[in-house]
Amino acid sequence: MAEIENRPSNFIRTIIDNDLASGKHASTHTRFPPEPNGFLHIGHAKSICLNFGIAKDYSGLCNLRFDDTNPEKEDVDYVNAIKNDVQWLGFQWHGDINYSSNYFDKLHSYAVELIEKGLAYVCFLSPEQAREYRGTLTEAGKNSPYRDTTVAENLALFAKMKNGEFKEGECVLRAKIDMASSFMVLRDPIIYRIRFVHHHQTGNKWCIYPMYDFTHCISDALEGITHSLCTLEFQDNRRLYDWVLENISIECKPQQIEFSRLNLEYTLMSKRKLNELVENNLVEGWDDPRMPTIAGLRRRGYTPASIREFSSRIGVTKQQNTVEMGMLEACIREDLNDNAPRAMAVLDPIKVIIENYDESAIEELSAPNHPNKEEMGKRILPFTRELYIEAEDFRAEANKKFKRLVLDKEVRLRNAYVIKANRFDEDADGNITTVYCTYDPETLGKNPTDGRKVKGVIHWVSASKGIKAQVRLYDRLFNVANPDADSELNPESLKVAQNAVLEPSLLNATKEQAFQFERTGYFCRDNKSDDLVFNQTVGLRDSWAKVDAK
RNA sequence: UGGGAUAUCGCCAAGCGGUAAGGCACCGGGUUUUGAUCUCGGCAUUCCCAGGUUCAAAUCCUGGUAUCCCAGCCA
């Protein structure tokens, strides 16, 4: 699309502008820090565009860092998928890929430093006891009986934890802060736990793993991050983020700034819940075209530019929001309207026989690939005596509002002739199967010379030259605007047009190539199947549907 | 009176004391061999509510109300 890289400001960019103006920072350094425990979704795209967008516009840097402190849920397959998605969206991270696990040695040293300062201790409370000791939202917690263990003993205990001398769950390392804090996150948070599991990056080197709150701030500081952008639910965690950096020997003090996460109507935006859909085979996989994942949107036909444009349009604020699907759809329509070549495809065919057209003739008509962009060229369209048209484009009788083929009336075949319907056949169920027509040979590329007005235009495909393909039509994944985990899925989210017939030029479509099937919508060739399969990206705006519904 | 946040059109969202941007959606007119595109026009006397300060308030003050987040050895 003619991507207008307008740079909408937002409260985060305002903060950065001020930090640059005041000299607090000479340049910006952001980071995108996903946990490799699932595929990225459109909400992550918002974060990617924010972080990498700032780096781009401010001539700063943006790192890609895998926040991999919980090996049980993570996998290299996810790191590869994430790398792929970020690049596909059009961004390149600064330097090598980073992993929180790169810092495990340093993290360990900082933990030891906290113990030496009397600011961390090994605690043997069971998870259940720890919960009781933590108190509630309205009542203060109480100190762990292990809180006053000596520094020397804590050092020895932590070494034993590291050496695998305690069982999983037997003890943890906790920061000594304030069991009465109104910030739950400050009530002596756990900073290390024991896990005897293989890590996708560090193998079996470690059996203790640092927690998010301890890891993230230090990782940011070690990478020289200036502005650490995350979502709203981490607002309380910011107090712990700052506490850790203030209490260890580290120079860099990144500023955490929170913004609201994206919610999209009729879909889910949680890796955990999306994972359930995948695990329970409710969708084909993470890249199912109905999924709000980057991979799913890609397979559906969304372009990187359209997703970047969407991110730009929704803005960045701290307000809780739920964006309408129409907003996303408008972005891809705008891109594809400009860039997708047109083609004709009949999804639900009925036959048209042009009785006054030579049975053996095959006329090679020429049609522009784009109505407003001559530079996109033309393609050949074979015209024959027998054609297919859309079943919904013929009615035996209709009022004047119906601008399509009606018995005894005329209609224009797109890029071809004007035809008139004379009679039709129907099957035992009353479904129309064949319409017998005559054509006006004087109407190719021009209006009838006698001044007859033909109002409608319908699309068609040659019956003998058309090609078969599977066309998949998609609808919203859920029936409710704000679904939760057990909301009902839309049983009609996938429909397959089994009898679709396409114009022959589509035989050359490459995987992922986008087209506008005229009068129908935007489609792209599936990027997985080797068969000829097209996925519907989005329909055309359809003002007729509103009229017809009345 | 636990704490942390947020409230501007149906949905996003500008606005930062000088008299309500923009986009999506919607409603009308025009062009059109896609009921598409394009184009022209319409869409908040009002900013969660109630008081107050001021010549002037969405913006400042006071008091309410609503919604979201926090009690994982998840991130």
Side-chain angles (χ1 to χ4, degrees):
Chain A
M1 87 176 52
E3 194 173 5
I4 306 112
E5 290 284 0
N6 55 334
R7 301 170 183 179
S9 194
N10 56 53
F11 77 101
I12 293 176
R13 285 175 178 238
T14 301
I15 291 171
I16 291 174
D17 289 338
N18 293 152
D19 288 350
L20 259 18
S22 72
K24 179 179 177 185
H25 296 298
S27 61
T28 64
H29 200 157
T30 52
R31 103 269 92 115
F32 174 62
E35 181 186 14
N37 66 343
F39 275 56
L40 262 25
H41 54 62
I42 183 80
H44 293 105
K46 173 180 178 177
S47 177
I48 291 168
C49 291
L50 208 215
N51 282 291
F52 284 95
I54 284 169
K56 179 164 171 266
D57 294 346
Y58 287 85
S59 299
L61 305 172
C62 183
N63 293 359
L64 173 60
R65 178 169 75 231
F66 287 99
D67 211 349
D68 55 349
T69 57
N70 187 8
E72 285 167 294
K73 294 195 202 163
E74 300 160 6
D75 195 287
V76 274
D77 287 348
Y78 294 130
V79 344
N80 291 328
I82 291 169
K83 279 152 59 174
N84 197 37
D85 286 346
V86 171
Q87 288 178 315
W88 179 74
L89 274 175
F91 298 105
Q92 187 56 52
W93 48 87
H94 165 63
D96 293 333
I97 287 176
N98 297 299
Y99 295 85
S100 297
S101 54
N102 287 165
Y103 314 129
F104 279 175
D105 285 313
K106 288 177 179 166
L107 260 355
H108 175 79
S109 302
Y110 286 122
V112 169
E113 180 184 350
L114 284 181
I115 296 172
E116 287 169 339
K117 287 178 173 171
L119 291 174
Y121 61 98
V122 175
C123 180
F124 289 84
L125 249 26
S126 70
E128 298 70 35
Q129 291 171 315
R131 196 184 325 122
E132 285 166 27
Y133 275 73
R134 194 153 33 231
T136 68
L137 293 177
T138 54
E139 298 161 45
K142 53 186 181 187
N143 288 168
S144 161
Y146 304 95
R147 204 174 199 258
D148 296 317
T149 309
T150 64
V151 167
E153 201 171 337
N154 278 135
L155 251 13
L157 255 15
F158 189 49
K160 289 181 76 175
M161 273 177 70
K162 179 176 181 256
N163 293 334
E165 295 174 42
F166 291 118
K167 294 194 297 282
E168 228 175 71
E170 192 174 351
C171 59
V172 294
L173 183 68
R174 292 228 251 169
K176 191 190 289 185
I177 309 181
D178 177 9
M179 289 305 293
S181 175
S182 52
F183 294 102
M184 296 302 289
V185 77
L186 256 24
R187 318 248 265 225
D188 287 11
I190 292 167
I191 58 179
Y192 263 94
R193 79 287 219 184
I194 300 169
R195 277 301 103 96
F196 289 96
V197 295
H198 180 269
H199 187 288
H200 52 98
Q201 300 299 321
T202 61
N204 295 317
K205 180 178 177 189
W206 296 87
C207 66
I208 55 171
Y209 291 97
M211 300 286 285
Y212 164 84
D213 285 301
F214 183 68
T215 308
H216 206 91
C217 51
I218 294 174
S219 303
D220 281 345
L222 291 172
E223 291 178 14
I225 301 304
T226 54
H227 303 272
S228 179
L229 315 180
C230 64
T231 42
L232 246 30
E233 65 270 26
F234 293 102
Q235 287 178 120
D236 287 359
N237 300 249
R238 187 175 69 243
R239 277 70 184 187
L240 180 50
Y241 184 106
D242 291 340
W243 183 92
V244 171
L245 295 183
E246 272 161 30
N247 287 285
I248 61 173
S249 306
I250 202 161
E251 282 308 303
C252 183
K253 299 279 194 282
Q255 178 186 4
Q256 175 177 308
I257 306 170
E258 311 86 11
F259 61 94
S260 53
R261 57 190 305 151
L262 168 68
N263 293 295
L264 241 197
E265 283 191 340
Y266 299 104
T267 191
L268 291 171
M269 214 57 76
S270 138
K271 268 197 265 185
R272 207 196 89 243
K273 293 173 185 172
L274 292 174
N275 187 234
E276 278 176 30
L277 297 178
V278 174
E279 291 298 312
N280 298 330
N281 291 311
L282 296 169
V283 293
E284 268 185 49
W286 285 100
D287 65 349
D288 186 299
R290 295 165 293 183
M291 290 282 271
T293 50
I294 307 291
L297 290 166
R298 175 178 184 173
R299 196 167 167 207
R300 178 78 171 260
Y302 277 81
T303 59
S306 70
I307 294 173
R308 278 185 253 124
E309 175 64 16
F310 175 72
S311 297
S312 165
R313 288 187 190 185
I314 59 175
V316 177
T317 68
K318 294 170 93 85
Q319 279 156 244
Q320 139 107 357
N321 63 80
T322 304
V323 177
E324 293 174 343
M325 272 294 183
M327 186 82 90
L328 220 206
E329 292 172 346
C331 293
I332 189 59
R333 283 198 188 102
E334 192 172 301
D335 185 345
L336 265 19
N337 176 53
D338 268 3
N339 301 316
R342 313 288 121 130
M344 293 200 285
V346 176
L347 270 28
D348 180 20
I350 58 171
K351 187 165 276 187
V352 160
I353 297 177
I354 301 171
E355 297 180 291
N356 61 338
Y357 195 85
D358 185 344
E359 211 159 324
S360 59
I362 298 176
E363 201 171 349
E364 293 200 330
L365 305 179
S366 168
N369 287 327
H370 191 110
N372 312 321
K373 297 171 95 174
E374 207 177 326
E375 65 274 22
M376 285 179 71
K378 299 178 186 310
R379 85 276 187 190
I380 298 296
L381 228 40
F383 187 86
T384 51
R385 174 183 161 96
E386 297 196 3
L387 312 170
Y388 289 115
I389 64 167
E390 215 69 70
E392 63 173 24
D393 284 341
F394 173 76
R395 287 184 189 176
E397 46 187 307
N399 62 29
K400 319 106 297 222
K401 281 190 172 177
F402 185 78
K403 303 193 300 181
R404 308 182 188 187
L405 187 59
V406 179
L407 197 60
D408 294 325
K409 303 260 170 52
E410 286 184 308
V411 78
R412 159 77 63 183
L413 291 177
R414 176 78 168 153
N415 297 126
Y417 302 94
V418 168
I419 59 169
K420 180 180 182 182
N422 302 316
R423 62 198 164 85
F424 61 88
D425 290 341
E426 48 189 11
D427 64 19
D429 301 323
N431 299 311
I432 290 161
T433 54
T434 306
V435 183
Y436 299 87
C437 302
T438 47
Y439 85 117
D440 180 345
E442 300 307 311
T443 55
L444 183 63
K446 57 190 183 208
N447 288 323
T449 45
D450 62 5
R452 275 156 34 235
K453 291 296 178 205
V454 178
K455 45 197 184 314
V457 180
I458 62 173
H459 56 98
W460 55 276
V461 169
S462 161
S464 56
K465 294 294 178 182
I467 54 174
K468 295 275 187 190
Q470 188 185 93
V471 178
R472 298 172 181 159
L473 304 167
Y474 299 103
D475 198 356
R476 50 182 59 140
L477 231 197
F478 286 90
N479 279 325
V480 291
N482 299 296
D484 53 41
D486 19 78
S487 289
E488 179 194 326
L489 284 160
N490 175 10
E492 314 234 291
S493 59
L494 167 63
K495 286 183 185 168
V496 178
Q498 296 290 0
N499 305 316
V501 188
L502 281 47
E503 68 165 76
S505 73
L506 255 7
L507 206 50
N508 301 320
T510 55
K511 285 183 179 178
E512 232 162 60
Q513 192 180 358
F515 296 88
Q516 183 197 99
F517 289 175
E518 287 190 295
R519 301 212 314 130
T520 303
Y522 295 99
F523 293 77
C524 71
R525 177 149 181 214
D526 188 66
N527 64 13
K528 271 190 153 173
S529 177
D530 288 326
D531 297 334
L532 201 58
V533 174
F534 286 86
N535 296 323
Q536 181 192 47
T537 307
V538 66
L540 254 29
R541 275 190 68 228
D542 187 3
S543 52
W544 161 249
K546 291 167 202 159
V547 176
D548 193 39
K550 287 174 190 171

